[in-house]
Structure formats: structure tokens, C-alpha cells
Amino acid sequence: DQQVKQNSPSLSVQEGRISILNCDYTNSMFDYFLWYKKYPAEGPTFLISISSIKDKNEDGRFTVFLNKSAKHLSLHIVPSQPGDSAVYFCAASGSGAGNMLTFGGGTRLMVKP
Amino acid sequence: DGGITQSPKYLFRKEGQNVTLSCEQNLNHDAMYWYRQDPGQGLRLIYYSQIVNDFQKGDIAEGYSVSREKKESFPLTVTSAQKNPTAFYLCASSISWQGRNIQYFGAGTRLSVL
């Protein structure tokens, strides 16, 4: 049973507009969430994270929102750029340094010029 | 430059053959991980190691083996028991920051069956 789900396999957005990528989780023990970006034939790169004590974390054009009651998080990219075209994975873990990351299936974002 | 190096980038396996994927890191990270990614799917954990000379099975360990004799190295062997080895394999290492596990990835090895 998938504990972290990204229900949209793909998303297409016009350059300059907002991209919103969504992620849902089922395990209430998850309290730390991360977003990774992956280009084809490369490893994922860490983008941004959020702890469950917050509901928003911002880093430049990237903002992650967490709704604990809904067990839902989203990544907003504003403004979207063609170089943002990639697969985005959300990941979750429980508290403690040794806990593993559980990854969603990914969403392919295409930003059109 | 600090980072995680995976080799080779592409690997071909014959029927019944064992192959070993290399993963080296110079980030001084204690923990290392191996994931498998299949087309259109997320990352699934094969094995992980939190300290030298110790490793644990992940969600899909069957048909794989690992060793962790040095902090910098965590090779993965895909054995002949793995019946569907064609996939993209990713190695990661992690640092604990404020009790949180942020993993950093290598560039991956694509394994195909001849």
C-alpha cells in the first residue's frame, strides 16, 4: 500500500505561470517532508523540505505548503521556467535521524516557453 | 569536489550473471542507501547502511546483496536470483541535520539484461 501518493503523473504549465504539484500521505507518523527534482538519467536533487511544526516553507521561487489535517502537501513554483521541466518526487519520513524516506511515484512537470 | 559517484553509468547483464554496481561518496556521510527506479514509478529502497559493517534490507532486497567495509563505499551486487533486474539504480547518502534525514543522490546506473 502506497503511503505517499502523487496522483498526477504529469502537469503542463506555461512559462511564467504557477506550477502546483500535489502529494498525499497516509501515515500519521510522518513528520518531515521533502521535495526532490529529477532530470532524465540523473539522480534526484534535494529542493526543499518542511517539518510538521510548520505549514509553509519558502525558498526563492519554491514554496511548500503542508496541511496536516488533510495529510496533504504541495509544492508551488512561481514563476515557472522551462528549466523547471523535470520529474518531481515528494518524500516523507518519521522523526529521528535513522528513519527512512518513503517516496511518491513522481509528477512530470513540463513548462512550455 | 564532494559528491556521490556511481559507476558504471550503463551496465549490461547476461542471463545467470552477477553484476556489481559501485557507489563511492566523499561527503563523510554515515548512512548510505540503494534504490531502484522503474519507468514511471517512484524510488524503492533495496538496502541501506547506517554505519560501517552494518546494513539492513529495504522493501525489495530479494536478489540483491551489499557490503559496507568502508565508510566511503557501498557496492550493490545484482545476483542471478533477481529475475527482473532491468531498472535505473540510485545510490544515496545522508547527513543527519537537526535530527532530520536529507539524502543526496548519485547520477545512477542503468542496468539492462542482454
Side-chain angles (χ1 to χ4, degrees):
Chain A
D1 184 32
Q2 273 191 299
Q3 297 186 67
V4 179
K5 288 185 183 178
Q6 294 176 255
N7 290 317
S8 298
S10 65
L11 175 67
S12 182
V13 168
Q14 205 67 33
E15 181 180 5
R17 307 293 291 269
I18 184 171
S19 295
I20 301 176
L21 295 97
N22 294 304
C23 180
D24 296 294
Y25 62 97
T26 56
N27 189 337
S28 57
M29 298 302 290
F30 288 149
D31 64 356
Y32 187 61
F33 305 89
L34 307 88
W35 284 95
Y36 284 84
K37 174 181 179 179
K38 184 182 180 302
Y39 292 118
E42 294 184 11
T45 54
F46 171 69
L47 260 182
I48 191 169
S49 63
I50 188 167
S51 164
S52 61
I53 62 173
K54 293 185 173 183
D55 53 19
K56 176 182 174 181
N57 189 26
E58 196 170 350
D59 184 2
R61 296 186 298 114
F62 301 91
T63 303
V64 56
F65 295 92
L66 176 62
N67 182 334
K68 290 186 290 295
S69 60
K71 294 191 176 68
H72 176 84
L73 64 153
S74 60
L75 175 68
H76 292 210
I77 307 173
V78 184
S80 301
Q81 300 173 353
D84 296 329
S85 298
V87 177
Y88 290 78
F89 291 98
C90 69
S93 73
S95 58
N99 279 324
M100 298 301 105
L101 295 184
T102 300
F103 285 85
T107 296
R108 180 176 302 278
L109 173 65
M110 292 164 283
V111 180
K112 297 179 180 178
Chain B
D1 275 60
I4 302 169
T5 302
Q6 289 187 241
S7 62
K9 194 167 178 67
Y10 300 95
L11 187 58
F12 296 91
R13 192 190 91 166
K14 293 180 182 177
E15 197 80 33
Q17 186 183 38
N18 291 356
V19 291
T20 298
L21 285 62
S22 170
C23 179
E24 303 278 331
Q25 55 101 357
N26 59 5
L27 300 169
N28 200 33
H29 288 174
D30 286 316
M32 296 186 74
Y33 312 82
W34 274 105
Y35 291 90
R36 168 180 172 141
Q37 185 189 16
D38 292 282
Q41 296 192 30
L43 281 63
R44 293 185 290 168
L45 183 65
I46 305 172
Y47 267 99
Y48 65 98
S49 167
Q50 294 187 315
I51 197 168
V52 174
N53 292 323
D54 186 53
F55 48 83
Q56 307 294 330
K57 292 182 179 180
D59 301 321
I60 54 165
E62 187 174 347
Y64 299 97
S65 66
V66 293
S67 62
R68 187 85 187 278
E69 297 175 2
K70 298 186 299 181
K71 187 175 185 177
E72 302 79 21
S73 179
F74 191 40
L76 173 75
T77 297
V78 183
T79 74
S80 56
Q82 172 50 245
K83 298 307 178 189
N84 184 21
T86 297
F88 191 55
Y89 290 86
L90 287 160
C91 176
S93 68
S94 71
I95 187 169
S96 173
W97 177 74
Q98 297 185 347
R100 299 306 186 181
N101 177 0
I102 299 176
Q103 294 182 17
Y104 297 89
F105 287 82
T109 293
R110 183 163 300 282
L111 175 62
S112 302
V113 177
L114 287 177

